[in-house]
Amino acid sequence: MVRKVGMLSGAESAYPQAVIDRINHLSGGEVVAEFATLDAMKLCDPITYRVVIDRLSHGLPFALEYSKLAVLQGARVINNPYRFFSDKAFSYHLAQRLGVCVPRTVVLPQFQYAPDTTVDDLHNLKYPIDWNEIFTYVGFPAVLKPASGYAWRDVSVVHDVHEFFDSYHQSKDQVMVLQEFIEFELYIRVFVMGQKHTLPIKYDPKDRKYLVEHNFMSPELGERVVRESLLLTSVLDYDMNTCEWAVREGIPYAIDFNNLVPDSKPNSITPFYFERVVDMLANTAIEYATAEIPSTMWSVDSPMSLWVAGKTGYPVNELYAGNKK
């Protein structure tokens, strides 16, 4: 039986097409990949893909609904649309509890609220905020960024109180994170695919440039950033991710590990790494497409479905068939 992989992507072209071509080449006809087509969806419309690679729904909400429907029908979606998309505040708390080093971080109340918000709506908020205590804890320079964001959107480095408030006032109704700036001697991005394939790359965040250099880490540091990148990505249940590490005095600090649609353009990651990242995602998709175990909790034979069957007396596939009548 031929298994199908559907690709959802936006304006980028080289990487999605290269992954599709690589899947079709590597699978020997057992798996067929193509661009998925979005259309108005009835609840009973079948999703024909065993795997959906979603590099679109972060910018197109309708694609998110398609991915959710695919999950409900048992497809493996990369990445799972029911997971946090880019919740940095939650992720920093999680990393710290897992024993991963993170910069000193404070989650801030939003600067603005909806026009119909009243004082009574905000009675739980402490006022005034003790800004001096926050600045003493985090220090300067510091990084101010959205608690949920991507692609360097609205990220700023602030060097003093005045720069902080200038940037904070421009954040409007976004929940922001103020974070210690790590003066690093080395910066690393680790691609993680399928929660097991990894590729650490030296990175220059100032110029946003990947550097083709080998042996740039000690074996001990390399083992640690790979192990902790796998840990974070697995606990967050992402199948496509990059984890960023700022190394200070030999210690890697997790800076960003919610990159669910990593920049994979060849002119960004270099042609050398482009081919390797294409292989990583293609092999992950093939592995998921050919797996015999249920890919999600909503599959017909999954624990969730067996639980529903036990509660109702009807298998989920029969319930679903009844809804189609």
Side-chain angles (χ1 to χ4, degrees), residues 53-66:
I53 301 173
D54 184 356
R55 294 180 62 85
L56 179 61
S57 63
H58 66 290
L60 186 66
F62 180 64
L64 182 63
E65 299 306 317
Y66 179 90

Side-chain angles (χ1 to χ4, degrees), residues 188-291:
I188 306 159
R189 265 190 172 177
V190 182
F191 278 82
V192 183
M193 301 286 184
Q195 301 182 14
K196 67 177 183 180
H197 305 289
T198 61
L199 177 63
I201 305 176
K202 188 175 181 180
Y203 186 71
D204 180 355
K206 296 176 182 176
D207 292 333
R208 302 183 188 180
K209 181 180 180 181
Y210 290 86
L211 305 173
V212 181
E213 293 186 23
H214 309 295
N215 302 318
F216 61 89
M217 293 184 288
S218 68
E220 295 77 17
L221 177 60
E223 188 276 335
R224 180 171 176 178
V225 297
V226 166
R227 171 170 46 84
E228 294 188 350
S229 294
L230 285 169
L231 173 64
L232 292 169
T233 301
S234 298
V235 171
L236 290 167
D237 196 24
Y238 299 155
D239 295 303
M240 173 173 58
N241 190 28
T242 57
C243 298
E244 298 184 11
W245 303 90
V247 182
R248 181 176 67 187
E249 298 179 355
I251 298 174
Y253 290 81
I255 301 300
D256 189 4
F257 39 97
N258 296 100
N259 298 303
L260 281 76
V261 186
D263 179 7
S264 301
K265 296 186 291 292
N267 62 338
S268 296
I269 63 174
T270 76
F272 179 83
Y273 290 122
F274 178 78
E275 293 299 321
R276 285 151 181 80
V277 173
V278 168
D279 271 338
M280 289 170 67
L281 184 53
N283 283 312
T284 296
I286 292 170
E287 290 167 10
Y288 289 167
T290 55

Side-chain angles (χ1 to χ4, degrees), residues 39-232:
D39 195 0
M41 296 175 289
K42 297 186 290 292
L43 296 181
C44 58
D45 284 344
I47 300 296
T48 60
Y49 297 111
R50 181 82 167 183
V51 175
V52 174
I53 301 173
D54 184 356
R55 294 180 62 85
L56 179 61
S57 63
H58 66 290
L60 186 66
F62 180 64
L64 182 63
E65 299 306 317
Y66 179 90
S67 291
K68 289 178 178 179
L69 183 60
V71 168
L72 290 173
Q73 294 193 24
R76 181 67 174 256
V77 178
I78 305 174
N79 283 293
N80 188 336
Y82 290 99
R83 299 302 184 209
F84 296 105
F85 176 69
S86 188
D87 192 336
K88 299 182 189 303
F90 167 84
S91 297
Y92 288 127
H93 285 298
L94 176 64
Q96 190 172 54
R97 292 181 67 87
L98 291 171
V100 175
C101 291
V102 294
R104 292 189 297 272
T105 303
V106 177
V107 184
L108 303 175
Q110 58 206 73
F111 176 69
Q112 290 181 353
Y113 297 87
D116 58 350
T117 303
T118 68
V119 173
D120 290 337
D121 293 324
L122 304 177
H123 72 91
N124 290 106
L125 286 178
K126 178 183 176 181
Y127 185 84
I129 294 174
D130 189 345
W131 291 110
N132 288 332
E133 194 276 333
I134 291 172
F135 298 147
T136 300
Y137 173 70
V138 174
F140 288 109
V143 180
L144 183 67
K145 55 188 173 183
S148 180
Y150 59 92
W152 301 86
R153 178 178 59 84
D154 296 332
V155 176
S156 56
V157 177
V158 294
H159 297 84
D160 53 39
V161 172
H162 299 292
E163 288 188 8
F164 165 78
F165 281 114
D166 284 344
S167 296
Y168 182 55
H169 292 175
Q170 294 175 37
S171 66
K172 299 181 180 178
D173 61 351
Q174 298 183 90
V175 176
M176 302 297 285
V177 168
L178 185 66
Q179 190 170 70
E180 171 192 12
F181 182 86
I182 301 295
E183 298 283 357
F184 58 87
E185 62 257 17
L186 177 63
Y187 202 93
I188 306 159
R189 265 190 172 177
V190 182
F191 278 82
V192 183
M193 301 286 184
Q195 301 182 14
K196 67 177 183 180
H197 305 289
T198 61
L199 177 63
I201 305 176
K202 188 175 181 180
Y203 186 71
D204 180 355
K206 296 176 182 176
D207 292 333
R208 302 183 188 180
K209 181 180 180 181
Y210 290 86
L211 305 173
V212 181
E213 293 186 23
H214 309 295
N215 302 318
F216 61 89
M217 293 184 288
S218 68
E220 295 77 17
L221 177 60
E223 188 276 335
R224 180 171 176 178
V225 297
V226 166
R227 171 170 46 84
E228 294 188 350
S229 294
L230 285 169
L231 173 64
L232 292 169

